[in-house]
């Protein structure tokens, strides 16, 4: 018996074989190991592409505390002092004793006071490095911090070199959004996007009194939030003093209410597939009408009226106050870290994120050094970002970043957002939309945000860890 292959087979068969080979490489050769040996008392044998990457918030937090304690015990030739603090976001209480409390959601910070050389204490650049502002994105920043602590421990037996008469502070802030990191969400326990929450009193008044459809959010509400938020009304949210188009807002409220009758939680994989397909078509249709950049701008510019909606910057649920995580950030920087930018001292603040850009590549988002006395000093940091410059497109009207001018005031504090690429932008948006829907009406779509923001690929881990350490080392060399 013989099998004949038509003309198309000469193309189809090799293509199928190539696809199979790639699948094998992705799910075998490029997948992290499930079991590995990472003894805390022998970090020199760690496989950095497995040991510093955590499977859960609890594991990441435990490693951060453990390596901090290990560094305290073994020391470092240039380390003067290491201090720790933890903040329980649910209790609203902080403690200088970093202990592991089962079930607690804590932000942890380590302050390393180091000896450095230089010509003047005023020219020493302090470093703030934060991870987990967007919850599930925190595993990348956590891995960078853990690897940095591991490096410090490995250097404990070395001798300090050169004359070092000045002092640098390195503040590592782990899991700014611990609840989001625990449940693989981008938003916090109040559904707030913490990277839109740091506003001044004047800015709060401005965003809360502005037209919620300024950038098209209300128009796309049914696409971005395909569920009925019980008790929410755009008309009620804007209040009596609103001078905009109330008729349009009423129409949107009516559409949402009528659609609520067909709403039900996703309980089976078939429901998930249906929702993914429906959301994909809705997003693709929107992009074809508005264009990708405008659709992205509508999402990332945020909104401050609908708590149940994605990219909610806060304010509507707590009388325009910062979230407790943000209040702790201010405490960690000013009180615990002793970093004062009013007249003296300089700092670079690196806030690590994942989601947009080429797979594993990083881009740097910044509003520029402004009137920093020596702006050329920071050009090496800006030049280090490899990634796609289109990542920053659409963020022109976005405000409330954690490392913007309020907590990191220029010219003495220079804020950098280090964004590592994961999946295509449309896929990331779909994951956010469906996870938020499941969070509010029932179901479990956390696996989607895990897939979108924390790829389980060794090649991605290598690039992220390499890029993260590169930027951190470049900053410390200033």
């Amino acid at each position: 018996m013989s099998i004949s292959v038509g003309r198309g087979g000469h193309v189809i068969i090799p293509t199928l074989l190539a696809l199979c080979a790639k699948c094998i490489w992705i799910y075998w050769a490029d997948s992290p190991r499930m079991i590995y040996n990472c003894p805390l008392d022998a970090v020199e044998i760690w496989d950095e592409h497995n040991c510093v990457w955590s499977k859960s918030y609890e594991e990441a937090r435990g490693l951060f505390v453990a390596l901090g304690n290990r560094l305290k015990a073994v020391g470092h030739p240039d380390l003067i002092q290491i201090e720790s603090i933890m903040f329980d976001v649910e209790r609203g209480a902080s403690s200088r004793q970093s202990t592991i409390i089962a079930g607690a959601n804590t932000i942890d910070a380590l302050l390393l006071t180091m000896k450095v050389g230089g010509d003047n204490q005023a020219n020493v650049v302090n470093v703030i490095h934060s991870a987990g502002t967007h919850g599930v994105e925190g595993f990348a920043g956590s891995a960078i911090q853990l690897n940095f602590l591991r490096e410090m421990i490995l250097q404990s037996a070395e001798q300090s070199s050169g004359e070092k008469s000045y002092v640098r502070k390195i503040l590592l802030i782990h899991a700014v959004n611990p609840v989001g990191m625990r449940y693989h969400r981008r938003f916090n326990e109040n559904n707030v996007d913490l990277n839109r929450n740091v506003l001044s009193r004047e800015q709060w008044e401005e965003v809360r009194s502005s037209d919620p459809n300024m950038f098209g959010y209300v128009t796309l509400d049914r696409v971005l939030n395909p569920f009925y938020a019980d008790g929410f009304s755009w008309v009620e949210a804007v209040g009596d003093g609103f001078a905009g188009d109330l008729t349009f807002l009423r129409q949107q409220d009516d559409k949402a209410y009528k659609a609520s009758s067909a709403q039900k939680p996703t309980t089976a994989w078939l429901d998930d597939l249906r929702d993914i397909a429906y959301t994909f078509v809705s997003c693709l249709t929107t992009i074809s009408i508005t264009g990708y950049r405008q659709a992205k701008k509508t999402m990332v510019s945020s909104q401050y009226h609908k708590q149940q909606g994605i990219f909610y910057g806060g304010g509507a649920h707590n009388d325009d106050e910062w979230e407790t995580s943000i209040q702790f950030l201010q405490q960690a920087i000013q009180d615990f870290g002793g970093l004062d930018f009013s007249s003296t001292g300089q700092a670079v603040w690196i806030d690590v994120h994942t989601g947009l850009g080429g797979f594993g590549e990083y881009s740097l988002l910044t509003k520029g050094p402004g009137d920093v006395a020596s702006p050329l000093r920071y050009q090496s940091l800006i030049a280090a970002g490899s990634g796609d410059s289109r990542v920053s497109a659409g963020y022109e009207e976005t405000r409330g970043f954690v490392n913007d001018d309020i907590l990191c005031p220029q010219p003495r504090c220079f804020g950098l957002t280090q964004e590592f690429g994961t999946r295509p932008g449309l896929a990331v948006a779909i994951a956010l939309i469906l996870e938020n829907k499941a969070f509010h009406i029932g179901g479990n779509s956390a696996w989607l945000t895990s897939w979108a923001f924390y790829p389980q690929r060794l090649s991605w881990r290598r690039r992220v860890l390499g890029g993260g350490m590169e930027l951190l080392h470049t900053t410390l060399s200033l």
Side-chain angles (χ1 to χ4, degrees), residues 6-48:
R7 294 180 191 176
H10 295 294
V11 177
I12 295 173
I13 293 176
T15 301
L16 290 175
L17 289 174
L19 287 173
C20 290
K22 185 170 183 179
C23 288
I24 292 172
W25 179 75
I26 289 175
Y27 293 104
W28 180 64
D30 198 32
S31 294
R33 285 180 293 166
M34 297 302 294
I35 301 175
Y36 39 88
N37 183 31
C38 307
L40 290 172
D41 57 350
V43 294
E44 66 275 3
I45 70 169
W46 278 22
D47 173 4
E48 64 184 24

Tab-separated table of all heavy atoms in Angstrom, residues 6-48:
chain	number	residue	atom	x	y	z
A	6	GLY	N	-0.047	15.019	-2.318
A	6	GLY	CA	-0.276	16.019	-3.361
A	6	GLY	C	0.715	17.160	-3.269
A	6	GLY	O	1.563	17.218	-2.387
A	7	ARG	N	0.539	18.110	-4.202
A	7	ARG	CA	1.471	19.236	-4.228
A	7	ARG	C	1.450	20.020	-2.918
A	7	ARG	O	2.473	20.456	-2.427
A	7	ARG	CB	1.101	20.162	-5.374
A	7	ARG	CG	1.279	19.553	-6.742
A	7	ARG	CD	0.890	20.559	-7.804
A	7	ARG	NE	0.801	19.933	-9.103
A	7	ARG	CZ	0.399	20.563	-10.195
A	7	ARG	NH1	0.035	21.824	-10.121
A	7	ARG	NH2	0.348	19.925	-11.348
A	8	GLY	N	0.235	20.205	-2.383
A	8	GLY	CA	0.128	20.987	-1.149
A	8	GLY	C	0.808	20.325	0.022
A	8	GLY	O	1.229	20.972	0.967
A	9	GLY	N	0.947	18.982	-0.025
A	9	GLY	CA	1.564	18.279	1.084
A	9	GLY	C	3.003	18.641	1.309
A	9	GLY	O	3.511	18.588	2.425
A	10	HIS	N	3.682	19.029	0.234
A	10	HIS	CA	5.091	19.413	0.369
A	10	HIS	C	5.241	20.693	1.193
A	10	HIS	O	6.315	20.979	1.713
A	10	HIS	CB	5.706	19.610	-1.020
A	10	HIS	CG	5.753	18.353	-1.824
A	10	HIS	ND1	6.538	17.277	-1.467
A	10	HIS	CD2	5.088	17.987	-2.957
A	10	HIS	CE1	6.369	16.300	-2.354
A	10	HIS	NE2	5.495	16.700	-3.272
A	11	VAL	N	4.164	21.458	1.303
A	11	VAL	CA	4.185	22.682	2.115
A	11	VAL	C	3.536	22.448	3.464
A	11	VAL	O	4.049	22.862	4.506
A	11	VAL	CB	3.451	23.831	1.375
A	11	VAL	CG1	3.404	25.075	2.248
A	11	VAL	CG2	4.136	24.129	0.054
A	12	ILE	N	2.389	21.749	3.462
A	12	ILE	CA	1.610	21.570	4.685
A	12	ILE	C	2.356	20.709	5.705
A	12	ILE	O	2.442	21.052	6.891
A	12	ILE	CB	0.241	20.941	4.363
A	12	ILE	CG1	-0.576	21.915	3.518
A	12	ILE	CG2	-0.496	20.594	5.649
A	12	ILE	CD1	-1.876	21.322	2.993
A	13	ILE	N	2.916	19.576	5.245
A	13	ILE	CA	3.564	18.663	6.188
A	13	ILE	C	4.761	19.301	6.894
A	13	ILE	O	4.862	19.248	8.118
A	13	ILE	CB	3.965	17.351	5.469
A	13	ILE	CG1	2.691	16.593	5.060
A	13	ILE	CG2	4.850	16.486	6.365
A	13	ILE	CD1	2.952	15.342	4.265
A	14	PRO	N	5.685	19.944	6.168
A	14	PRO	CA	6.794	20.616	6.873
A	14	PRO	C	6.311	21.714	7.827
A	14	PRO	O	6.883	21.914	8.898
A	14	PRO	CB	7.634	21.204	5.732
A	14	PRO	CG	7.314	20.365	4.554
A	14	PRO	CD	5.876	20.002	4.708
A	15	THR	N	5.234	22.413	7.442
A	15	THR	CA	4.687	23.465	8.299
A	15	THR	C	4.151	22.875	9.596
A	15	THR	O	4.386	23.403	10.687
A	15	THR	CB	3.568	24.231	7.565
A	15	THR	OG1	4.093	24.803	6.370
A	15	THR	CG2	3.010	25.340	8.455
A	16	LEU	N	3.409	21.757	9.470
A	16	LEU	CA	2.875	21.098	10.669
A	16	LEU	C	3.995	20.580	11.566
A	16	LEU	O	3.929	20.682	12.796
A	16	LEU	CB	1.951	19.953	10.258
A	16	LEU	CG	0.607	20.354	9.629
A	16	LEU	CD1	-0.147	19.115	9.156
A	16	LEU	CD2	-0.234	21.139	10.632
A	17	LEU	N	5.031	20.032	10.942
A	17	LEU	CA	6.172	19.537	11.716
A	17	LEU	C	6.870	20.685	12.448
A	17	LEU	O	7.293	20.552	13.607
A	17	LEU	CB	7.155	18.813	10.792
A	17	LEU	CG	6.695	17.468	10.236
A	17	LEU	CD1	7.701	16.930	9.230
A	17	LEU	CD2	6.482	16.457	11.369
A	18	ALA	N	7.000	21.829	11.769
A	18	ALA	CA	7.626	22.995	12.398
A	18	ALA	C	6.804	23.489	13.578
A	18	ALA	O	7.345	23.853	14.634
A	18	ALA	CB	7.809	24.110	11.368
A	19	LEU	N	5.454	23.506	13.417
A	19	LEU	CA	4.583	23.921	14.511
A	19	LEU	C	4.681	22.964	15.698
A	19	LEU	O	4.709	23.383	16.861
A	19	LEU	CB	3.135	24.011	14.024
A	19	LEU	CG	2.792	25.204	13.119
A	19	LEU	CD1	1.369	25.062	12.581
A	19	LEU	CD2	2.935	26.519	13.887
A	20	CYS	N	4.731	21.691	15.405
A	20	CYS	CA	4.871	20.686	16.471
A	20	CYS	C	6.190	20.865	17.212
A	20	CYS	O	6.242	20.788	18.437
A	20	CYS	CB	4.782	19.278	15.885
A	20	CYS	SG	3.136	18.823	15.301
A	21	ALA	N	7.258	21.100	16.444
A	21	ALA	CA	8.568	21.298	17.061
A	21	ALA	C	8.563	22.526	17.975
A	21	ALA	O	9.137	22.513	19.072
A	21	ALA	CB	9.639	21.444	15.983
A	22	LYS	N	7.892	23.590	17.524
A	22	LYS	CA	7.839	24.796	18.348
A	22	LYS	C	7.037	24.553	19.616
A	22	LYS	O	7.408	25.019	20.702
A	22	LYS	CB	7.218	25.947	17.549
A	22	LYS	CG	7.241	27.271	18.309
A	22	LYS	CD	6.853	28.449	17.435
A	22	LYS	CE	6.976	29.746	18.224
A	22	LYS	NZ	6.631	30.935	17.402
A	23	CYS	N	5.942	23.833	19.490
A	23	CYS	CA	5.125	23.517	20.674
A	23	CYS	C	5.929	22.698	21.679
A	23	CYS	O	5.856	22.935	22.895
A	23	CYS	CB	3.870	22.756	20.263
A	23	CYS	SG	2.651	23.778	19.398
A	24	ILE	N	6.684	21.727	21.185
A	24	ILE	CA	7.524	20.915	22.070
A	24	ILE	C	8.553	21.787	22.770
A	24	ILE	O	8.802	21.653	23.975
A	24	ILE	CB	8.206	19.788	21.272
A	24	ILE	CG1	7.162	18.783	20.795
A	24	ILE	CG2	9.271	19.098	22.121
A	24	ILE	CD1	7.705	17.745	19.832
A	25	TRP	N	9.160	22.715	22.023
A	25	TRP	CA	10.178	23.603	22.613
A	25	TRP	C	9.563	24.507	23.671
A	25	TRP	O	10.129	24.687	24.751
A	25	TRP	CB	10.819	24.455	21.513
A	25	TRP	CG	11.851	25.405	22.054
A	25	TRP	CD1	13.108	25.113	22.472
A	25	TRP	CD2	11.700	26.817	22.238
A	25	TRP	NE1	13.753	26.243	22.918
A	25	TRP	CE2	12.907	27.309	22.777
A	25	TRP	CE3	10.647	27.713	21.994
A	25	TRP	CZ2	13.088	28.650	23.083
A	25	TRP	CZ3	10.839	29.052	22.287
A	25	TRP	CH2	12.049	29.505	22.821
A	26	ILE	N	8.376	25.056	23.385
A	26	ILE	CA	7.729	25.965	24.333
A	26	ILE	C	7.344	25.233	25.609
A	26	ILE	O	7.601	25.700	26.719
A	26	ILE	CB	6.487	26.621	23.692
A	26	ILE	CG1	6.923	27.622	22.616
A	26	ILE	CG2	5.636	27.315	24.748
A	26	ILE	CD1	5.757	28.212	21.849
A	27	TYR	N	6.718	24.088	25.473
A	27	TYR	CA	6.158	23.407	26.639
A	27	TYR	C	7.095	22.387	27.280
A	27	TYR	O	6.740	21.749	28.252
A	27	TYR	CB	4.827	22.747	26.263
A	27	TYR	CG	3.768	23.766	25.941
A	27	TYR	CD1	3.395	24.022	24.628
A	27	TYR	CD2	3.176	24.507	26.946
A	27	TYR	CE1	2.435	24.978	24.330
A	27	TYR	CE2	2.220	25.470	26.666
A	27	TYR	CZ	1.851	25.699	25.357
A	27	TYR	OH	0.911	26.665	25.064
A	28	TRP	N	8.279	22.273	26.762
A	28	TRP	CA	9.256	21.392	27.395
A	28	TRP	C	10.565	22.127	27.627
A	28	TRP	O	10.920	22.441	28.746
A	28	TRP	CB	9.482	20.139	26.538
A	28	TRP	CG	10.474	19.191	27.151
A	28	TRP	CD1	10.354	18.517	28.329
A	28	TRP	CD2	11.761	18.842	26.607
A	28	TRP	NE1	11.476	17.751	28.564
A	28	TRP	CE2	12.365	17.932	27.529
A	28	TRP	CE3	12.449	19.181	25.450
A	28	TRP	CZ2	13.629	17.392	27.314
A	28	TRP	CZ3	13.704	18.628	25.228
A	28	TRP	CH2	14.281	17.745	26.157
A	29	ALA	N	11.271	22.451	26.550
A	29	ALA	CA	12.580	23.087	26.700
A	29	ALA	C	12.483	24.500	27.258
A	29	ALA	O	13.395	24.958	27.943
A	29	ALA	CB	13.295	23.102	25.347
A	30	ASP	N	11.379	25.224	26.976
A	30	ASP	CA	11.288	26.624	27.395
A	30	ASP	C	10.371	26.817	28.592
A	30	ASP	O	9.985	27.938	28.917
A	30	ASP	CB	10.804	27.486	26.223
A	30	ASP	CG	11.086	28.970	26.432
A	30	ASP	OD1	12.098	29.295	27.081
A	30	ASP	OD2	10.294	29.795	25.960
A	31	SER	N	10.007	25.740	29.259
A	31	SER	CA	9.143	25.855	30.437
A	31	SER	C	9.962	25.740	31.712
A	31	SER	O	10.897	24.931	31.788
A	31	SER	CB	8.077	24.744	30.428
A	31	SER	OG	7.191	24.930	29.355
A	32	PRO	N	9.631	26.543	32.727
A	32	PRO	CA	10.339	26.445	34.006
A	32	PRO	C	10.113	25.090	34.648
A	32	PRO	O	9.066	24.461	34.459
A	32	PRO	CB	9.691	27.553	34.851
A	32	PRO	CG	9.026	28.457	33.869
A	32	PRO	CD	8.611	27.594	32.725
A	33	ARG	N	11.096	24.651	35.398
A	33	ARG	CA	10.958	23.382	36.110
A	33	ARG	C	9.995	23.540	37.282
A	33	ARG	O	9.951	24.576	37.931
A	33	ARG	CB	12.313	22.916	36.626
A	33	ARG	CG	13.237	22.355	35.546
A	33	ARG	CD	14.552	21.907	36.141
A	33	ARG	NE	15.319	23.027	36.651
A	33	ARG	CZ	16.365	22.910	37.459
A	33	ARG	NH1	16.750	21.722	37.863
A	33	ARG	NH2	17.024	23.975	37.873
A	34	MET	N	9.223	22.519	37.549
A	34	MET	CA	8.261	22.567	38.652
A	34	MET	C	8.925	22.289	39.990
A	34	MET	O	8.480	22.755	41.025
A	34	MET	CB	7.137	21.551	38.411
A	34	MET	CG	6.318	21.837	37.160
A	34	MET	SD	5.555	23.478	37.187
A	34	MET	CE	4.412	23.265	38.555
A	35	ILE	N	9.997	21.494	39.995
A	35	ILE	CA	10.692	21.146	41.243
A	35	ILE	C	12.156	21.552	41.108
A	35	ILE	O	12.826	21.182	40.136
A	35	ILE	CB	10.592	19.633	41.536
A	35	ILE	CG1	9.123	19.215	41.644
A	35	ILE	CG2	11.359	19.285	42.811
A	35	ILE	CD1	8.933	17.718	41.808
A	36	TYR	N	12.648	22.319	42.041
A	36	TYR	CA	14.037	22.746	42.002
A	36	TYR	C	14.534	22.984	43.421
A	36	TYR	O	13.767	23.198	44.350
A	36	TYR	CB	14.209	23.996	41.134
A	36	TYR	CG	13.095	25.008	41.263
A	36	TYR	CD1	13.136	26.005	42.242
A	36	TYR	CD2	11.996	24.979	40.403
A	36	TYR	CE1	12.117	26.925	42.361
A	36	TYR	CE2	10.974	25.910	40.519
A	36	TYR	CZ	11.048	26.885	41.504
A	36	TYR	OH	10.035	27.790	41.619
A	37	ASN	N	15.851	22.951	43.581
A	37	ASN	CA	16.471	23.043	44.901
A	37	ASN	C	17.003	24.457	45.118
A	37	ASN	O	17.918	24.896	44.434
A	37	ASN	CB	17.612	22.023	45.001
A	37	ASN	CG	18.247	22.014	46.375
A	37	ASN	OD1	17.574	22.277	47.365
A	37	ASN	ND2	19.527	21.708	46.443
A	38	CYS	N	16.429	25.161	46.088
A	38	CYS	CA	16.813	26.552	46.352
A	38	CYS	C	17.019	26.769	47.851
A	38	CYS	O	16.237	27.476	48.504
A	38	CYS	CB	15.755	27.513	45.831
A	38	CYS	SG	15.311	27.278	44.097
A	39	PRO	N	18.065	26.188	48.443
A	39	PRO	CA	18.290	26.363	49.890
A	39	PRO	C	18.690	27.802	50.215
A	39	PRO	O	19.544	28.385	49.550
A	39	PRO	CB	19.430	25.392	50.180
A	39	PRO	CG	20.134	25.220	48.874
A	39	PRO	CD	19.081	25.333	47.823
A	40	LEU	N	18.090	28.364	51.232
A	40	LEU	CA	18.361	29.754	51.601
A	40	LEU	C	19.775	29.947	52.127
A	40	LEU	O	20.324	31.048	52.065
A	40	LEU	CB	17.342	30.222	52.649
A	40	LEU	CG	15.904	30.410	52.142
A	40	LEU	CD1	14.969	30.681	53.299
A	40	LEU	CD2	15.842	31.542	51.125
A	41	ASP	N	20.369	28.890	52.651
A	41	ASP	CA	21.724	29.012	53.203
A	41	ASP	C	22.802	28.683	52.171
A	41	ASP	O	23.986	28.603	52.495
A	41	ASP	CB	21.890	28.106	54.424
A	41	ASP	CG	21.605	26.647	54.111
A	41	ASP	OD1	21.096	26.361	53.005
A	41	ASP	OD2	21.888	25.790	54.973
A	42	ALA	N	22.376	28.488	50.918
A	42	ALA	CA	23.343	28.188	49.859
A	42	ALA	C	22.865	28.809	48.553
A	42	ALA	O	22.648	28.121	47.556
A	42	ALA	CB	23.534	26.683	49.716
A	43	VAL	N	22.716	30.132	48.548
A	43	VAL	CA	22.186	30.810	47.358
A	43	VAL	C	23.145	30.717	46.176
A	43	VAL	O	22.748	30.977	45.034
A	43	VAL	CB	21.873	32.289	47.659
A	43	VAL	CG1	20.743	32.407	48.667
A	43	VAL	CG2	23.113	33.027	48.143
A	44	GLU	N	24.403	30.332	46.447
A	44	GLU	CA	25.358	30.214	45.349
A	44	GLU	C	25.014	29.079	44.390
A	44	GLU	O	25.466	29.077	43.239
A	44	GLU	CB	26.777	30.016	45.901
A	44	GLU	CG	27.011	28.717	46.645
A	44	GLU	CD	26.595	28.793	48.112
A	44	GLU	OE1	26.065	29.845	48.533
A	44	GLU	OE2	26.799	27.790	48.824
A	45	ILE	N	24.193	28.118	44.816
A	45	ILE	CA	23.835	27.014	43.923
A	45	ILE	C	22.479	27.244	43.258
A	45	ILE	O	22.002	26.391	42.519
A	45	ILE	CB	23.834	25.664	44.676
A	45	ILE	CG1	22.661	25.596	45.669
A	45	ILE	CG2	25.167	25.415	45.359
A	45	ILE	CD1	22.442	24.213	46.250
A	46	TRP	N	21.884	28.387	43.518
A	46	TRP	CA	20.567	28.665	42.939
A	46	TRP	C	20.622	28.748	41.423
A	46	TRP	O	21.572	29.293	40.847
A	46	TRP	CB	20.033	29.998	43.469
A	46	TRP	CG	19.387	29.932	44.813
A	46	TRP	CD1	19.580	28.968	45.766
A	46	TRP	CD2	18.460	30.872	45.358
A	46	TRP	NE1	18.832	29.253	46.878
A	46	TRP	CE2	18.133	30.416	46.652
A	46	TRP	CE3	17.887	32.037	44.898
A	46	TRP	CZ2	17.247	31.100	47.483
A	46	TRP	CZ3	17.008	32.716	45.718
A	46	TRP	CH2	16.686	32.252	46.990
A	47	ASP	N	19.596	28.230	40.798
A	47	ASP	CA	19.340	28.473	39.384
A	47	ASP	C	18.467	29.721	39.338
A	47	ASP	O	17.281	29.674	39.667
A	47	ASP	CB	18.619	27.282	38.759
A	47	ASP	CG	18.167	27.548	37.316
A	47	ASP	OD1	18.487	28.630	36.791
A	47	ASP	OD2	17.495	26.682	36.746
A	48	GLU	N	19.066	30.843	38.931
A	48	GLU	CA	18.354	32.114	39.029
A	48	GLU	C	17.105	32.182	38.163
A	48	GLU	O	16.206	33.001	38.412
A	48	GLU	CB	19.280	33.271	38.674
A	48	GLU	CG	19.785	33.262	37.251
A	48	GLU	CD	20.777	34.374	36.970
A	48	GLU	OE1	21.407	34.859	37.923
A	48	GLU	OE2	20.925	34.740	35.804
